[in-house]
Structure formats: structure tokens, C-alpha cells
Amino acid sequence: MAFSVCGFLTRTRLSALLALSLAAGAVQAQYPGQTKEKTAVAVRAPIQAYSFNLQDVRVLSSPFKDNMDREGRWLLSLPAERLLHSFRVNAGLLTDKKASPTKMPKPLGGWEALDMELRGHSMGHILSGLAFQFASTGNEAFKLKSDSLIAGLAQVQKALNEGGYLSAYPQNYIDRNIAGTSVWAPWYTLHKIFAGLTDAYWYTGNPQALEVEKGMASWAYQKLSPLTQEQLAKMLRNEFGGMNDAFYNLYSITGDPQHRKLAEMFYHKAVLEPLEQGQDKLNTMHANTVIPKLVGEARAYELTGDLKAQKATTFFWDDVVKHHTYAHGGNSDKEHFFEPDKISEHLTGNTGETCNTYNMLKLTRHLFTWNPEAKYADYYEQALYNHILGQQDPKTGMVSYFSPMLPGAYRLYSTPTESFWCCVGSGFESHSKYGEAIYYHGAKDLYVNLFIPSELNWQERGVKVVQNTKYPEEETTRLTIQTKKPVDMPLHLRYPAWATHGVTLKVNGKTVAVKQQPGSYITVSRNWKNGDQVELTYPMALRVIATPDNPRKAAFAYGPIILAGEMGTEGMSGTAPYHDPADPYQYYGYDYHVPADLVHTLATKGGTVTDWLKPVPGHPLTFTTTAATGAGGITMVPYYKAHRERYVVYWDLQ
């Protein structure tokens, strides 16, 4: 997206606060993915599996919890005065010539600088991140900060006095977009603000967030309703994020037909019609411009029953996952889709824009609720463990934009206040909502999709489930049922497609025969009693993941985990912090100066993967190569741990 965008509460205290939020009119809904909570608009699509709200799931000690805590500290460290600065400048609220310059807040840098046309986009992501952190942890500091930012935005909206318009840039950016003249992506930025306000309303119960958002929608309706179809088509050529998704979500809360009409105005015929017809015309399209449109279409199907929207989204997901996805679950090269299956031709330093995966996971959650197939949970695991988890530098908490597949490249990280790329924004969300897809439920049944240490509180059924595991560093996960009285609850346990060496299932210590195959669900139906335990063991094995267009270029995985060869730090100019304030786009096309003699070839000589890679005793998920050409043994570690050094994911096989 460089040139085209892309103090803890007790559970009782938190529950009381959420109840007050509901009484104030807030809808505690899990976004994305349908929940059973009532909204103003009845869902018309058949929902087979429901999301749990984030406050019902607590992520326990794990790399995910570590990431979430680091992200939370970053969110709380950003001063509200600096976050609001560009909005206040735009509204003329910081023009007092008598004010001391030393008392003026310093503007944020990078993509939030006052001369950047995308300024303001991070505010929306931050509101969402704060809302997710509050729901996920119960830490009231996140709600207090969110409330403060929303109050500041309301003040800006009032000062602008432009029919509800709210942004960090002048309204003429929208006029330029409508006219088809050059401007970065103003609707993209507004989408983030709309979405952030919705999340703040849903998860923190702030009614002011909804009022501000409804004011923005009123302005948008007055702005767009006079436009012809031709004018709208011209406007939609520029990236607009998921404006359709934002307006459908607002419509679900308010039931206001104007909000549905606004969502329909962002139907991009040129992109969506081929997908409705089952055609892949994605080559050269800017990936993170396209994916959010499908998330919006998924919401359209849920709220309107439009079968064309269903077809477009399901075809798109299957097509992207099967034909446009790297081993780590990400997609795109230089932010764009390329010809289907041409993975080996696109192993560059600009692969795997993280925003794309963030949005693909949103779409995946929608599709799973319609049709709870294991393939959706398998992809979610692939992308979450390998791409999203690995985005964050565990030393600094900063995040990467791309996940380079170029042999010998390395991750480049953001800075606390001077970058704010799109992937920084989506990272505020991704690392704050790890509890969203571990569990789903039907009327009586429970799905366990991810093996992440966590505690589920299913209040409707009076059941708690505690999951303990060190997965993926161990092959076993353990579920303990807590209930005051026996409960009939069919338990669907994901049997991952990669688990081709079978499974061992024990209930209360007794082995249970499993007839299902990998890529499905194991169902255990019984009346569960307090203290009942389930133990699942999926033996992990090495796998070769060849590129579809060249079997001699391949990545390696151990169970669900993609491995990366550690290649040292020779010639690196520094991995963190990374940013040149004079050139905020420098990341795009960055030269990694890969040493000419860097090894990325394995002399396999027709053997099997266990001949080439040997486990390192005492070090889980760690292997050593035995067949590297021109080098001794190379250590292979999980890709999500390959930080601050060069690495190789895709190897040439001889």
C-alpha cells in the first residue's frame, strides 16, 4: 500500500459494565462473523456457526498473549493529543497565535504527517484496537482512552460544521476523488474511522461513538446521493477500503435505509461481477484494494440474502487460497495479485503485505459461520501462526509491512511514532483480538478451531472450557470442562489437514477411536460433567510445500509451522527501527543487499524431507539441514520467530 493504499477489572465488574453498555443501546457483537445478539436488521443468510464475543474468551500465557500485551502497551503509550492533532488542525482548532509552540502537541510522523493525504487512517485502527483490547482483557484503561479520543473527534466534527463530515484532511480530498483527479485514498481513511467508531460502540458501549458515526453517514449520504452511476463508478476506481462493509454494519445497528443505500453505492461492479461469474481476473489488481470489498459483500449476503454476494465471496476465497497464497498464508507481490499459481516467479522482497492477510482472516470468519468446514479453520491457523504472529518483533513490539519471501531478505519494522503504515494500523487490531476465532458454537454444540491456551465462558449454557497447551511446541492440547450441572454439548474438534500421521483422542484418560480423516472435525457427543477432560494429540511431521509452478522450489513445514533458515546478519543495514522520515515510501522496493554467496539450495538427490532436515534435540520446532549446497548445517526455526536476521523460506531443490 505504499503508493496505492491499501488496572484490570474483575469479571463481575466487567460484566456489570457491559450490561450497562447494553442498557444504553450498544450491541455487543463480534465483528466480523455473525453472533446471536439481536440487531435492528434481521440476518437473512443461514448461519450455521456463531462467533463468541471477545469478552467471552481470555487468551492465556502464550506467544499470542505476549503479542497482545505488547500491542496494548503501544496503544496506551500513544498520546491522545498527538493522535488528534491533525484532526484539530483540519478543524481550525489549533490556530491560536498566542499559544506557545512548545506547548503544542507534536504531530505524528510517517503516513500520519500533516502533509500526507492518508493522515487520520490510524485513528480508526486505534479505536478498533482499543475496543478489542478492552473486550479481550477487561482493562478499563483501554476504554478510558477510547472514550477520550471519541470525545475529541466529536469536538472536531462540531467545529468543522460540515453536515457531519469528520476527517484529518479537508473535504476537497473527497471532491477530487469524485472528480477522478489525483488523490491518495480518502475513502480508505474514512472507512477506518467508521469501522473504529462501530467497534468502540459494540465493544465499549460508548453511545457517543454511534452518534458521531451517524453524523458522518448523514454527510456521506448528502454527498453521494446526487451522483450518477457514472460518477460513482469513477469514484470507485480509487481505493476505498471496506466502505461497503462499514455501512452495512452501521445499517445492522440502526436499520436506517440510508445506511444500506450507502453500502450499495460502494458496490464495485468492475471487480465484483467477474467473481460472481466464477472468473479469476485478479492479475495485476491491487490486492488490499480488492479483499475488503469482498468482506463487505460477505456482510451484504448476511444482511440482504444476496446470493450473488455469496457466490463472489466463496469463489474469491477459494481462488485466492488455492492459487495466490504463499506457504505462510499471505499473498501478493508488490501489493498486487499476479497470475494464478505463479508463486515461484514472485519470491521477492515485497511479498505478503500484512493487511491482505488481516482482511483474508476477516473474510474467512464470515465464510466459516455460513458453512463450518475445516478448510476455513485450517487456513486461519496457517495465516495466523505463520504470518500474523510473526509480524511483530518480540523485542520492540514493532511490526512489519511485508513478509519478504526473497531468499536472504529480512523483516523491516515500524517505529513507535514515525511510520504508521497501513500494516501498522491493521496490526493494532490483529494483535488485540487473538481470542476471536478459537471457538465457535451452534445452538448446543461447540467448535474448537485453534489450539491456543485460553478460557471460554459460554454464559448461555453455563459452561466454561479451559484449554491448556504449549502447541505448536508440543503436539497435545487439553480441554477441561467446568459446569455446575451436566450439559449435553456435542464437541467438534478440528482434525487439521496437515495431521496425516493420525490422532490420539482421550476423554477422561480413556482412548476414544477416531474414524474421521484429516481436514474434518472429530465430534464427541456426551453429557459433560464438571471436571471432564479431553486430550488431543496430533503427531507433527515434516512437509514439503512446493510452489505450484515449479516443484524444485519449495518451503518446509513441521505440522502447521512454516520453517525458515537462519542466515545471519551480514550486510544488514539494520532491522529496527526502520524508517526514513524524508521518504515514507522507501519501504516499497527496498534493497536488502543479499550477499551473493548466500545459500538457498539443498542437494536433495531424490531423498525425502527427513533426509534433509534433522531435529535439534531439546529445541522444539528446530531443525538442521544436512544437504545445503556450499555450506554446513543451517538451522531452521519457525518463520514466526525469524526476527532481526536474514532468512530463507523457499529453497531451490537439486
Side-chain angles (χ1 to χ4, degrees), residues 102-114:
T102 60
K103 294 183 179 180
M104 292 284 283
K106 180 182 178 182
L108 296 170
W111 288 14
E112 287 296 338
L114 289 173

Side-chain angles (χ1 to χ4, degrees), residues 3 110-111 116 418 421 578-588:
F3 294 102
W111 288 14
M116 298 297 290
E418 298 296 326
W421 314 310
Y578 167 78
H579 184 66
D580 181 356
D583 185 1
Y585 307 115
Q586 187 183 21
Y587 196 157
Y588 198 67

Side-chain angles (χ1 to χ4, degrees), residues 30 54 57-59 64-65 67-75 125-137 142 203 384 388 391-392 424-436:
Q30 175 72 43
L54 276 175
V57 181
R58 289 288 180 262
V59 175
F64 297 99
K65 183 64 163 59
N67 269 23
M68 189 167 71
D69 289 346
R70 281 187 289 263
E71 203 73 27
R73 288 194 292 270
W74 188 6
L75 283 163
H125 287 297
I126 287 167
L127 287 176
S128 292
L130 290 168
F132 297 154
Q133 288 274 353
F134 173 60
S136 296
T137 68
F142 295 110
Y203 292 104
L384 186 73
I388 298 299
Q391 184 201 18
Q392 190 192 96
V424 171
S426 58
F428 285 133
E429 299 184 41
S430 293
H431 304 296
S432 299
K433 57 175 185 173
Y434 283 120
E436 71 172 3

Side-chain angles (χ1 to χ4, degrees), residues 378-523:
D378 282 343
Y379 171 73
Y380 201 101
E381 177 183 68
Q382 174 190 2
L384 186 73
Y385 278 83
N386 296 299
H387 194 181
I388 298 299
L389 181 63
Q391 184 201 18
Q392 190 192 96
D393 174 23
K395 184 174 182 178
T396 65
M398 297 297 101
V399 296
S400 60
Y401 191 137
F402 295 116
S403 290
M405 293 293 105
L406 176 71
Y410 48 91
R411 289 180 169 101
L412 300 168
Y413 306 109
S414 60
T415 59
T417 62
E418 298 296 326
S419 49
F420 292 105
W421 314 310
C422 54
C423 298
V424 171
S426 58
F428 285 133
E429 299 184 41
S430 293
H431 304 296
S432 299
K433 57 175 185 173
Y434 283 120
E436 71 172 3
I438 304 173
Y439 310 98
Y440 291 82
H441 69 93
K444 296 174 59 177
D445 46 339
L446 177 67
Y447 293 84
V448 180
N449 277 7
L450 299 175
F451 311 126
I452 293 176
S454 53
E455 178 182 302
L456 167 68
N457 183 13
W458 191 358
Q459 299 181 50
E460 285 183 331
R461 305 219 63 202
V463 175
K464 289 185 179 181
V465 178
V466 179
Q467 183 172 184
N468 288 301
T469 183
K470 293 182 180 179
Y471 180 98
E473 293 194 352
E474 70 170 346
E475 301 171 329
T476 299
T477 192
R478 302 160 190 86
L479 304 169
T480 302
I481 310 298
Q482 298 178 0
T483 180
K484 292 182 179 180
K485 58 183 179 180
V487 58
D488 178 15
M489 183 180 67
L491 188 59
H492 307 296
L493 308 167
R494 182 171 65 92
Y495 192 169
W498 55 260
T500 56
H501 286 234
V503 58
T504 299
L505 169 63
K506 294 181 180 181
V507 177
N508 294 330
K510 296 182 180 180
T511 301
V512 177
V514 174
K515 297 180 180 179
Q516 291 86 354
Q517 298 298 312
S520 65
Y521 282 89
I522 302 166
T523 299

Side-chain angles (χ1 to χ4, degrees), residues 564-630:
E566 295 182 316
M567 307 307 294
T569 60
E570 179 186 347
M572 286 174 57
S573 58
T575 58
Y578 167 78
H579 184 66
D580 181 356
D583 185 1
Y585 307 115
Q586 187 183 21
Y587 196 157
Y588 198 67
Y590 180 82
D591 188 344
Y592 292 89
H593 302 289
V594 178
D597 60 351
L598 186 135
V599 174
H600 53 88
T601 300
L602 296 180
T604 61
K605 299 179 180 179
T608 63
V609 64
T610 53
D611 296 325
W612 323 327
L613 299 179
K614 299 296 182 181
V616 178
H619 295 272
L621 304 177
T622 305
F623 299 82
T624 301
T625 65
T626 62
T629 300

Side-chain angles (χ1 to χ4, degrees), residues 499-547:
T500 56
H501 286 234
V503 58
T504 299
L505 169 63
K506 294 181 180 181
V507 177
N508 294 330
K510 296 182 180 180
T511 301
V512 177
V514 174
K515 297 180 180 179
Q516 291 86 354
Q517 298 298 312
S520 65
Y521 282 89
I522 302 166
T523 299
V524 183
S525 297
R526 59 181 285 149
N527 281 318
W528 299 94
K529 299 178 181 179
N530 187 51
D532 281 350
Q533 293 187 333
V534 177
E535 185 176 285
L536 271 173
T537 301
Y538 294 114
M540 297 183 187
L542 288 165
R543 298 183 286 133
V544 179
I545 305 176
T547 58

